[in-house]
Amino acid sequence: MSKLACDCIFLLFFFFMVVGVKLQFSKVNFSIEWFMGCEEHTIWDGLSSIKLKPKKTNQKRQREPRFAFMTKSEVDHLEDGYRWRKYGQKAVKNSPFPRSYYRCTSVSCNVKKRVERSFTDPSVVVTTYEGQHTHPSPVMPRSGVSAGYANNFGSVLPPGNYLSQYQHYHHQQQQQHLVNTLSSLGFPYNDSSSPKNAVFTQERRLCSNHGTNAFLRDHGLLQDVVPSHMLKEE
DNA sequence: CGATTTTGACCAGCGC
DNA sequence: GCGCTGGTCAAAATCG
């Protein structure tokens, strides 16, 4: 082999060696950068850029009790003034609609609900509840009204136990609140000249005068009804 | 920028 | 033991 050939081979070898070192150096830099940004429990394996999964603490999570239904009055009471935090969503088998999980945000309320849409009839939303709550909400927000139970006549019956507890005073508050809500939505209240007005009946039902509750539902004044078979006996 | 939602990892239980 | 399923956790992303 001529000296020229030897030199060429040496140069090629040297070139690839340098490139190799350069690449390796970049890799080290990347590893260090990654290491600096990672959390303290993350394991770093020296010069390798391969991330190792952080070792989980071997704490056994207590599995929560299986789903337990609430009574009707518990559900009525619960919707009254509580807020919900979503904590999960999962695909439902054989359904394009996911199931969502919510937890009551109040400290006095240890209740969860799950909400899913019927695959066969997407207009149907099923809400089921589980858990306990300790004392009534002092406030009367919109949800207090919307937690009422829809009947077949396009009206809403406010939660019975709520009314029995607070009776007339809260009933007035409730109606006034609803009037304000309706007004803010541009919905004429007790205006018989309007084709789409709302009134309270003597049974304290909120009624839409033109025989449909679509408007009320569209604005959240009618909410999902908990199916009776999903309520445990009181 | 804090609150809320999204999302993939994780876990326990169950059936095979 | 293994895979599947329903449910939870928590970091990241998004929202107001």
Side-chain angles (χ1 to χ4, degrees), chain A residues 3 11 17 19 52 57 67-68 122 165 174 193 215 221 232:
Chain A
K3 183 167 188 313
L11 282 172
M17 194 178 76
V19 169
L52 296 184
T57 53
F67 197 80
Q165 246 179 317
Q174 188 176 18
S193 66
F215 181 92
L221 295 167
K232 78 181 179 192

Side-chain angles (χ1 to χ4, degrees), chain A residues 169-180:
Chain A
Y169 172 75
H170 275 88
H171 174 56
Q172 297 293 331
Q173 299 276 89
Q174 188 176 18
Q175 290 205 354
Q176 189 53 51
H177 178 85
L178 186 58
V179 169
N180 295 341

Side-chain angles (χ1 to χ4, degrees), chain A residues 43-215:
Chain A
I43 298 166
W44 185 53
D45 65 341
L47 294 178
S48 165
S49 64
I50 298 167
K51 289 184 190 177
L52 296 184
K53 278 205 163 185
K55 190 151 190 164
K56 284 247 163 188
T57 53
N58 201 20
Q59 281 184 322
K60 288 281 178 192
R61 273 195 312 211
Q62 199 65 33
R63 187 178 175 86
E64 308 223 349
R66 294 292 297 179
F67 197 80
F69 294 125
M70 297 172 68
T71 64
K72 179 176 179 297
S73 65
E74 282 171 332
V75 172
D76 284 349
H77 175 195
L78 179 73
E79 284 281 21
D80 190 343
Y82 289 97
R83 301 182 68 206
W84 300 88
R85 182 177 70 82
K86 188 174 182 177
Y87 69 91
Q89 179 171 300
K90 283 294 219 183
V92 178
K93 200 179 177 185
N94 299 326
S95 171
F97 307 110
R99 172 186 297 146
S100 299
Y101 300 89
Y102 298 84
R103 194 190 297 274
C104 189
T105 55
S106 168
V107 290
S108 64
C109 170
N110 182 29
V111 174
K112 293 170 205 159
K113 71 176 179 180
R114 65 179 190 198
V115 180
E116 59 188 276
R117 197 171 283 274
S118 166
F119 182 25
T120 51
D121 182 0
S123 67
V124 175
V125 177
V126 177
T127 306
T128 45
Y129 298 80
E130 171 263 330
Q132 295 156 354
H133 50 95
T134 53
H135 41 270
S137 166
V139 297
M140 187 59 210
R142 193 190 73 174
S143 63
V145 174
S146 57
Y149 282 72
N151 62 20
N152 292 327
F153 310 102
S155 64
V156 176
L157 184 64
N161 69 324
Y162 188 94
L163 289 176
S164 66
Q165 246 179 317
Y166 297 97
Q167 277 304 337
H168 191 64
Y169 172 75
H170 275 88
H171 174 56
Q172 297 293 331
Q173 299 276 89
Q174 188 176 18
Q175 290 205 354
Q176 189 53 51
H177 178 85
L178 186 58
V179 169
N180 295 341
T181 304
L182 291 169
S183 301
S184 70
L185 293 170
F187 195 87
Y189 176 77
N190 273 353
D191 174 9
S192 56
S193 66
S194 168
K196 60 167 194 175
N197 63 338
V199 295
F200 279 108
T201 67
Q202 286 191 340
E203 299 83 33
R204 296 192 294 224
R205 284 175 178 159
L206 169 67
C207 285
S208 179
N209 252 8
H210 57 302
T212 170
N213 56 16
F215 181 92

Side-chain angles (χ1 to χ4, degrees), chain A residues 24 27-28 30-36 38-54:
Chain A
Q24 179 67 23
K27 207 172 163 187
V28 170
F30 173 76
S31 295
I32 290 170
E33 192 178 327
W34 174 80
F35 175 67
M36 296 299 281
C38 73
E39 291 180 24
E40 59 181 356
H41 60 260
T42 304
I43 298 166
W44 185 53
D45 65 341
L47 294 178
S48 165
S49 64
I50 298 167
K51 289 184 190 177
L52 296 184
K53 278 205 163 185

